[in-house]
Amino acid sequence: MGEYRTQMKIIGDILSTTRDDLQDEDGATVTYLIRKANISHSRISTILKTLVSQGLLERGDSQGSNRYKISQSGREFLQAYNSFTKFADNFGLNI
Amino acid sequence: MEFLLENILNLVGFLVGLAIGIMAYIGFRNTGSPTLFRLTIAFSSISLGFFVIWSGYMLEDFVIKSGTIERGIQTVGIVIQTIGYFFIAFSHSIKSFFPKSNYFRSVGILPLFLVSTVQLEHIFRSISFILLVYGAIETMLSYRDNKNKGAISVAIGLTLLAFGEFLGWYSFVFPESILYTISMVIKIGGLIALFIPVSKIPLKRIKFDDDLDKI
């Protein structure tokens, strides 16, 4: 059975991918993020829209498709996310 | 000796609860995680509960000087702590904690109005014990999944608090024995074990950002 992921974990996975695991310097395509974050297209569209509007991701156009890169705020958020994931792990909980 | 230990226990409990509660709150403000919000309530309550009991002892020592702490204050402190323990257990998804039948729900609270504060203290100590044991077991089980050594320390901390709570309750049977003193020493050990892994979390360079709350 697959591991249940909270919304926060999915956001963490998306941001981690855009920070550490990019295909090229232009950023990650939606298809690439879907594969890496293991999430449906409809769900990732909503999340990406929110992350861009919150300034955690930057959207750019390259080769006719949207590309996503992590912003400075996104890096700070991811750092906080990683720290507090460890914090919650100590209590046997997922954030 | 008992008075001194009681003061140390309540001060350590207040400070540890406050530190973990603040950390959880910073986490909640930064990530908007509901889990961290529940932990904030849990440890704020635990901290406040210890503070209320400590205040009771201080009040007794400097103002009332009757030789024993006002039972009502002690009971209020224990009730507030129990709320904190409930939120720790609740974070582990207690799904059937309350009785489903409306009848049992309505009469379930009735005994609380029929007992004295001493009996209330016993009731809440036993509820705390159950919640702490549940939290300790769930935390230990989580170690199987995440292999996080901090989880073992937290589980040991919760177990020691539960055992201390049990001994504290049992000491009413043997009021003049050393049991209550041992229970306080064990609870202090439990609080320290709770704090050790949390103190290792790097919180440098994390700042508040109101925009992140909306995620």
Side-chain angles (χ1 to χ4, degrees), chain A residues 8 54 76 89-92 94, chain B residues 31 35 92 142 148 207 211:
Chain A
M8 194 62 65
Q54 296 296 320
E76 285 169 9
D89 273 352
N90 286 328
F91 293 92
N94 297 318
Chain B
T31 63
T35 304
H92 287 286
S142 77
N148 183 343
K207 60 176 188 179
D211 290 343

Side-chain angles (χ1 to χ4, degrees), chain A residues 43-67:
Chain A
R43 194 158 180 208
I44 204 170
S45 299
T46 317
I47 294 174
L48 287 176
K49 203 178 284 180
T50 312
L51 293 179
V52 170
S53 70
Q54 296 296 320
L56 300 184
L57 282 182
E58 290 166 355
R59 184 166 52 205
D61 271 326
S62 178
Q63 297 160 9
S65 63
N66 286 329
R67 301 264 179 162

Side-chain angles (χ1 to χ4, degrees), chain A residues 7-8 11 50-51 54 56 73 76-77 79-81 83-95, chain B residues 23 27 30-31 33 35-36 43 91-92 142 146 148 150-151 154 197-198 201-203 207 211-212 214-215:
Chain A
Q7 173 90 344
M8 194 62 65
I11 289 171
T50 312
L51 293 179
Q54 296 296 320
L56 300 184
S73 295
E76 285 169 9
F77 177 83
Q79 190 194 7
Y81 167 80
S83 295
F84 289 107
T85 297
K86 280 182 202 154
F87 176 79
D89 273 352
N90 286 328
F91 293 92
L93 301 167
N94 297 318
I95 71 168
Chain B
M23 250 183 244
N30 275 269
T31 63
S33 160
T35 304
L36 293 174
F43 283 98
S91 297
H92 287 286
S142 77
N146 60 28
N148 183 343
V154 169
V198 175
I201 303 291
L203 290 179
K207 60 176 188 179
D211 290 343
L212 301 182
K214 293 165 193 157
I215 290 183

Side-chain angles (χ1 to χ4, degrees), chain B:
Chain B
M1 175 70 177
E2 199 172 284
F3 185 84
L4 177 70
L5 269 177
E6 189 74 56
N7 271 312
I8 293 172
L9 167 70
N10 290 311
L11 263 183
V12 170
F14 166 64
L15 293 174
V16 168
L18 189 67
I20 300 177
I22 288 172
M23 250 183 244
Y25 180 67
I26 293 172
F28 167 67
R29 284 295 306 271
N30 275 269
T31 63
S33 160
T35 304
L36 293 174
F37 182 64
R38 283 192 287 271
L39 282 180
T40 304
I41 296 176
F43 283 98
S44 302
S45 294
I46 291 169
S47 177
L48 183 64
F50 278 112
F51 180 76
V52 167
I53 300 175
W54 179 74
S55 306
Y57 274 95
M58 287 296 105
L59 200 68
E60 193 285 318
D61 196 32
F62 294 112
V63 184
I64 304 170
K65 297 180 179 176
S66 66
T68 55
I69 183 177
E70 172 62 42
R71 215 75 222 173
I73 295 178
Q74 174 124 339
T75 304
V76 168
I78 287 171
V79 170
I80 297 171
Q81 281 178 39
T82 306
I83 292 169
Y85 298 141
F86 167 76
F87 274 95
I88 291 178
F90 180 65
S91 297
H92 287 286
S93 304
I94 293 183
K95 292 191 175 65
S96 53
F97 187 76
F98 294 107
K100 284 183 179 153
S101 149
N102 279 338
Y103 172 74
F104 283 118
R105 272 186 197 166
S106 58
V107 298
I109 199 165
L110 200 60
L112 298 182
F113 296 105
L114 304 175
V115 293
S116 70
T117 52
V118 177
Q119 287 165 316
L120 266 182
E121 190 182 324
H122 289 257
I123 290 167
F124 280 99
R125 273 187 192 276
S126 52
I127 292 172
S128 292
F129 171 75
I130 293 165
L131 293 171
L132 284 165
V133 167
Y134 180 85
I137 291 170
E138 286 292 327
T139 310
M140 192 55 89
L141 285 176
S142 77
Y143 174 73
R144 287 194 314 181
D145 301 327
N146 60 28
K147 300 290 176 213
N148 183 343
K149 285 178 186 165
I152 294 179
S153 185
V154 169
I156 290 171
L158 293 174
T159 306
L160 289 175
L161 280 176
F163 189 51
E165 206 63 65
F166 174 77
L167 283 183
W169 169 78
Y170 197 62
S171 68
F172 282 101
V173 183
F174 304 104
E176 298 302 319
S177 70
I178 199 171
L179 276 178
Y180 194 66
T181 309
I182 293 173
S183 90
M184 282 186 288
V185 172
I186 289 174
K187 281 166 91 175
I188 292 170
L191 288 165
I192 292 168
L194 265 188
F195 188 67
I196 288 170
V198 175
S199 66
K200 291 178 183 166
I201 303 291
L203 290 179
K204 289 174 191 164
R205 289 163 55 200
I206 290 175
K207 60 176 188 179
F208 288 112
D209 189 340
D210 291 337
D211 290 343
L212 301 182
D213 293 348
K214 293 165 193 157
I215 290 183

